[in-house]
């Protein structure tokens, strides 16, 4: 039997961390489900932290250190990170 | 032939002579070092310093992936990618790409390609601190 985690954690960086005032968000899931898409995750981020709504469309999602498409399912227990527009170099 | 690759994230100042030593090779007639440095002026604003943050594990993985792609595309013998994190003052280097190959075409193409791709894909962010004390995360 799989226990569904009713909360999901997402790492924040740079402008996202500054706006949210934290380097990680704990998101309560309204309808805990065994599958969650990147799109649903972004919607949950906006609900939990409306101040991020403006930045979010320019952000990418990373799942276990790899860029993921928003249409993809987010595997449970994966390391999630919100990736604002990068500006290295 | 395989390429010797080094990838580093560091808070220490980048050292060009160390990088040149890494890529030096009597079989490599072409040795190229690029340094990206904090620039004093952007438009009409004056930069006091840049501060870099990384999602460390993913940044290393993305840099490794770029190195793999570059070495698959060009006959590089040595490749060093370094990015500095934390405060980087005006004039100091935040990023270094050093590459060597027997002939120059490979490095003349690989180094700009690596810089372009690095700036698109690697999860590193820079925050400007302007001379008036204001700060902003750069949105390229």
């Amino acid at each position: 039997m799989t226990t569904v985690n009713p909360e999901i954690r997402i790492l924040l960086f740079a402008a996202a961390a500054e706006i949210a005032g934290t380097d990680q968000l704990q998101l309560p899931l309204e309808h805990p489900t065994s599958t969650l898409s990147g799109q649903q995750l972004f919607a949950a981020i906006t609900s939990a932290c409306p101040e991020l709504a403006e930045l979010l469309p320019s952000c990418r999602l990373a799942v276990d250190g790899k860029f993921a498409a928003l249409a993809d399912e987010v595997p449970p227990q994966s390391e999630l990170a919100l990736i604002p527009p990068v500006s290295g170099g | 032939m395989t390429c010797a690759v080094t990838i580093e994230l560091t808070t220490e100042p980048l050292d060009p002579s160390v990088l040149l030593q890494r890529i030096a090779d009597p079989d490599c007639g072409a040795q190229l070092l690029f340094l990206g440095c904090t620039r004093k002026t952007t438009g009409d604003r004056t930069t006091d310093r840049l501060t870099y943050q990384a999602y460390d594990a993913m940044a290393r993985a993305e840099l490794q992936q770029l190195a793999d792609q570059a070495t698959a595309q060009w006959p590089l013998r040595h490749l060093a990618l370094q990015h500095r994190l934390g405060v980087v003052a005006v004039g100091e280097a935040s990023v270094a790409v050093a590459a060597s190959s027997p002939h120059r075409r490979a490095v003349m193409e690989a180094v700009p390609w690596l810089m372009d791709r690095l700036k698109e894909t690697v999860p590193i962010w820079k925050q400007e601190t302007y001379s008036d004390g204001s700060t902003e995360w750069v949105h390229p």
Side-chain angles (χ1 to χ4, degrees):
Chain A
M1 190 176 90
T2 326
T3 319
V4 174
N5 192 348
E7 257 197 358
I8 209 162
R9 188 180 76 124
I10 180 156
L11 302 175
L12 301 181
F13 295 93
E18 187 177 77
I19 290 165
T22 177
D23 62 6
Q24 55 182 268
L25 275 184
Q26 303 283 134
L27 302 176
L29 296 179
E30 213 180 276
H31 302 290
T33 174
S34 57
T35 65
L36 181 74
S37 71
Q39 201 60 61
Q40 288 171 309
L41 179 66
F42 270 33
I45 292 171
T46 309
S47 293
C49 192
E51 312 84 66
L52 280 176
E54 196 180 323
L55 182 67
L56 218 51
S58 64
C59 294
R60 282 177 283 184
L61 176 65
V63 173
D64 289 331
K66 290 183 158 63
F67 287 114
L70 291 186
D72 291 351
E73 262 176 36
V74 173
Q77 315 307 329
S78 46
E79 178 168 290
L80 303 176
L82 190 62
I83 310 290
V86 301
S87 53
Chain B
M1 274 216 82
T2 56
C3 178
V5 176
T6 57
I7 286 162
E8 272 163 282
L9 300 179
T10 177
T11 51
E12 296 297 312
L14 306 188
D15 187 337
S17 62
V18 166
L19 289 159
L20 288 173
Q21 270 167 43
R22 282 232 189 105
I23 64 171
D25 183 327
D27 289 327
C28 291
Q31 301 176 13
L32 187 60
L33 169 63
F34 173 83
L35 297 177
C37 307
T38 297
R39 198 180 58 251
K40 186 170 159 192
T41 320
T42 300
D44 55 0
R45 304 189 78 175
T46 304
T47 297
D48 181 77
R49 61 186 180 274
L50 294 175
T51 308
Y52 287 88
Q53 184 188 38
Y55 178 14
D56 277 50
M58 187 179 174
R60 286 198 181 87
E62 287 293 319
L63 286 168
Q64 183 63 58
Q65 209 176 97
L66 291 185
D68 293 343
Q69 289 168 3
T71 57
Q73 252 191 292
W74 290 283
L76 306 175
R77 297 280 179 94
H78 303 268
L79 177 60
L81 302 174
Q82 277 191 346
H83 206 298
R84 191 168 166 198
L85 301 178
V87 173
V88 182
V90 166
E92 294 190 11
S94 56
V95 63
V97 176
S100 59
S101 56
H103 302 282
R104 69 183 181 281
R105 166 124 64 116
V107 298
M108 297 295 216
E109 291 177 356
V111 172
W113 184 88
L114 282 160
M115 274 307 304
D116 287 347
R117 293 296 292 147
L118 183 157
K119 288 170 80 67
E120 288 168 1
T121 70
V122 179
I124 295 177
W125 299 270
K126 62 164 144 311
Q127 181 187 48
E128 282 264 15
T129 301
Y130 295 106
S131 52
D132 64 3
S134 60
T135 64
E136 83 181 327
W137 289 100
V138 171
H139 192 320

